[in-house]
């Protein structure tokens, strides 16, 4: 590699997230000044949450908050902090009219500021995978953005739109570096936070997911409740290959982290129905839908085992779904096994 190749350039030669959005405004329908400000608010909250996570062992922010959220799950202190930071940033920014969060049972209406669009509906999982935080495992934030339909009030019904209606979706992964990965329906781009400069820089332009991969991510502790087709798919990956070790298990238990690896390297993440979660564990509106929008924009697929995630018509803010997401060929094959397709082993 020559000394003047791009990898040797200092970070300030990369495009910032802000510049990127401004440049995209002419190309992307709906991307207006208001949308730029919405992304600015999300990225600001991400930097604040990142600052807590980076010092989590030093600040008094670890452990559970003593509260149980609407999901019946123990809320971690950092869940509550991340929720508060994102809601406050969006409230101050004034571009959204309502927020739905994993950490709040009901919608959070926002009063638009004078002069701001107030037209966006933002759905959030403020800190996904937070049960891992005490042991220093990567966690993330997921967001999904819709527009308030023309002439409609900012009520719960306005938030219950199918994933196909998303105008933007993304996640922030607080990993070995912090990344902001998002789509506005024109491909997927990833920005790495330069902590010295305090800006997200375009480091992963036009991300595409390999059509197939080696990694499969699933919690096999739930195997007793797996349906037969899924059991067969797993056995096929473990023993059914001519070449040994074609497939490898990678399960961190932090959706964004598992997804991010599979997005870049090729793979499939699966969370099926289980004995504890008969409809699947993950929430459709702020976990499955945004990740499905991203994966499709990167050339992959997301299914609930019966059909496309993005086509599901939601009936409740916190509804759960099974999720099979990742490389197209792997999701196709998982579905073929689930459907009892005789050709599932030969889908090459
Ligand atoms: P959370 O939103 O309460 O953090 O739950 C979602 C998380 C995902 O990040 C992860 O993939 C999954 O739950 C892990 O669940 P399990 O521990 O049952 O395997
Ligand atoms: Mg979550």
């Amino acid at each position: 590699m020559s000394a003047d190749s791009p990898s040797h350039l200092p970070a300030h030669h990369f495009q910032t997230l802000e510049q990127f959005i401004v440049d995209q405004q002419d190309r992307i329908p709906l991307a207006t000044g208001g949308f730029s400000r919405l992304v600015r608010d999300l990225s600001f909250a991400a930097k604040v949450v990142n600052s807590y996570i980076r010092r989590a062992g030093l600040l008094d922010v670890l452990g559970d908050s003593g509260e149980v959220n609407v999901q019946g799950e123990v809320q971690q202190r950092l869940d509550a902090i991340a929720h508060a930071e994102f809601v406050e940033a969006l409230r101050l920014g004034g571009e959204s009219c309502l927020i739905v969060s994993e950490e709040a049972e009901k919608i959070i209406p926002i009063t638009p500021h004078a002069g701001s669009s107030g037209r966006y509906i933002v759905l959030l999982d403020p800190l996904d995978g937070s049960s891992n935080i005490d042991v220093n495992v990567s966690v993330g934030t997921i967001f999904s953005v819709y527009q308030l339909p023309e002439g409609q009030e900012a009520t719960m019904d306005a938030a219950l739109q199918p994933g196909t209606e998303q105008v933007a979706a993304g996640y922030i992964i607080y990993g070995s570096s912090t990344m902001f990965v998002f789509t506005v329906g024109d491909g997927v781009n990833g920005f790495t936070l330069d902590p010295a400069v305090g800006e997200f820089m375009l480091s992963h332009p036009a991300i595409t997911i390999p059509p197939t991969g080696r990694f499969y991510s699933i919690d096999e502790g739930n195997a007793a409740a797996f349906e037969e087709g899924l059991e067969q798919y797993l056995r096929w990956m473990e023993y059914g290959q001519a070449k040994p070790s074609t497939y490898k298990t990678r399960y961190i238990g932090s959706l964004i982290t598992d997804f991010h690896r599979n997005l870049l390297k090729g793979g499939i993440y699966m969370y099926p129905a289980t004995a504890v979660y008969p409809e699947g564990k993950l929430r459709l509106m702020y976990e499955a839908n945004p990740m499905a929008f991203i994966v499709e924009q990167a050339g992959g697929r997301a299914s609930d085992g019966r059909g496309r995630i993005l086509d599901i018509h939601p009936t409740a803010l916190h509804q759960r779904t099974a999720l099979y997401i990742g490389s197209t060929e792997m999701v196709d094959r998982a579905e073929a096994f689930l459907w009892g397709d005789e050709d599932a082993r030969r889908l090459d």
Side-chain angles (χ1 to χ4, degrees):
M1 192 177 289
S2 72
D4 59 355
S5 69
S7 65
H8 291 274
L9 291 174
H12 62 264
H13 283 250
F14 292 94
Q15 194 177 29
T16 65
L17 174 58
E18 207 170 322
Q19 286 164 342
F20 177 86
I21 297 283
V22 170
D23 286 356
Q24 295 286 303
Q25 276 183 30
D26 297 338
R27 295 180 46 215
I28 303 166
L30 308 175
T32 59
F35 183 77
S36 302
R37 289 191 290 276
L38 184 80
V39 174
R40 173 205 62 195
D41 299 337
L42 290 166
S43 69
F44 174 73
K47 289 178 204 170
V48 175
V49 171
N50 181 63
S51 75
Y52 282 108
I53 290 173
R54 293 292 160 216
R55 294 174 294 152
L58 305 172
L59 305 175
D60 187 23
V61 295
L62 294 178
D64 66 69
S65 64
E67 303 287 322
V68 173
N69 69 13
V70 56
Q71 326 287 335
E73 290 156 359
V74 177
Q75 190 185 55
Q76 305 293 306
R77 280 195 213 183
L78 269 167
D79 281 326
I81 291 170
H83 167 84
E85 293 294 346
F86 273 92
V87 170
E88 200 49 27
L90 292 169
R91 199 191 294 280
L92 286 172
E95 296 300 335
S96 43
C97 53
L98 71 85
I99 299 171
V100 174
S101 166
E102 177 178 336
E103 302 306 328
E105 182 178 359
K106 300 200 170 120
I107 59 165
I108 303 169
I110 304 286
T111 309
H113 295 187
S116 65
S117 73
R119 68 208 283 223
Y120 294 107
I121 298 169
V122 181
L123 293 89
L124 289 169
D125 182 348
L127 204 60
D128 181 69
S130 55
S131 63
N132 289 306
I133 193 118
D134 288 1
V135 291
N136 220 341
V137 166
S138 302
V139 291
T141 297
I142 312 175
F143 62 88
S144 166
V145 182
Y146 294 82
Q147 283 196 302
L148 181 66
E150 208 64 49
Q152 207 166 323
E153 297 285 310
T155 59
M156 189 180 83
D157 282 348
L160 292 176
Q161 301 182 41
T164 46
E165 298 302 310
Q166 291 172 100
V167 295
Y171 60 86
I172 299 103
I173 177 167
Y174 309 99
S176 43
S177 59
T178 298
M179 280 188 72
F180 191 109
V181 178
F182 88 117
T183 183
V184 287
D186 185 36
V188 180
N189 291 283
F191 300 78
T192 300
L193 181 65
D194 180 339
V197 179
E199 293 279 0
F200 285 102
M201 306 287 196
L202 180 59
S203 52
H204 295 62
I207 296 171
T208 54
I209 184 168
T212 189
R214 302 186 72 192
F215 299 121
Y216 67 101
S217 312
I218 187 167
D219 183 350
E220 290 206 73
N222 295 318
F226 289 170
E227 55 190 286
E228 199 190 324
L230 175 57
E231 193 59 42
Q232 285 177 3
Y233 178 43
L234 296 175
R235 296 294 84 79
W236 177 83
M237 283 195 284
E238 286 161 7
Y239 306 114
Q241 293 299 295
K243 188 164 154 268
S245 304
T246 301
Y247 294 103
K248 295 177 100 60
T249 311
R250 290 285 185 276
Y251 190 72
I252 293 170
S254 182
L255 167 65
I256 294 181
T257 314
D258 282 311
F259 176 88
H260 187 70
R261 180 200 47 249
N262 295 349
L263 177 70
L264 297 183
K265 302 287 186 193
I268 185 170
Y269 171 97
M270 297 171 272
Y271 208 113
T274 67
V276 178
Y277 299 107
E279 287 157 10
K281 180 183 184 190
L282 298 172
R283 277 51 57 114
L284 173 67
M285 301 295 290
Y286 42 78
E287 293 178 319
N289 268 340
M291 304 315 261
F293 189 21
I294 293 164
V295 85
E296 287 197 6
Q297 284 295 315
R301 286 197 58 214
S303 167
D304 67 352
R306 297 185 294 270
R308 188 182 179 215
I309 287 284
L310 294 180
D311 286 335
I312 298 173
H313 281 262
T315 53
L317 294 178
H318 299 286
Q319 86 184 58
R320 296 178 189 269
T321 179
L323 180 64
Y324 299 83
I325 187 166
S327 294
T328 295
E329 289 173 22
M330 297 179 87
V331 177
D332 286 350
R333 196 184 300 269
E335 280 183 340
F337 271 102
L338 288 167
W339 298 343
D341 185 338
E342 293 291 315
D343 291 329
R345 290 172 173 75
R346 293 194 297 274
L347 274 180
D348 297 317

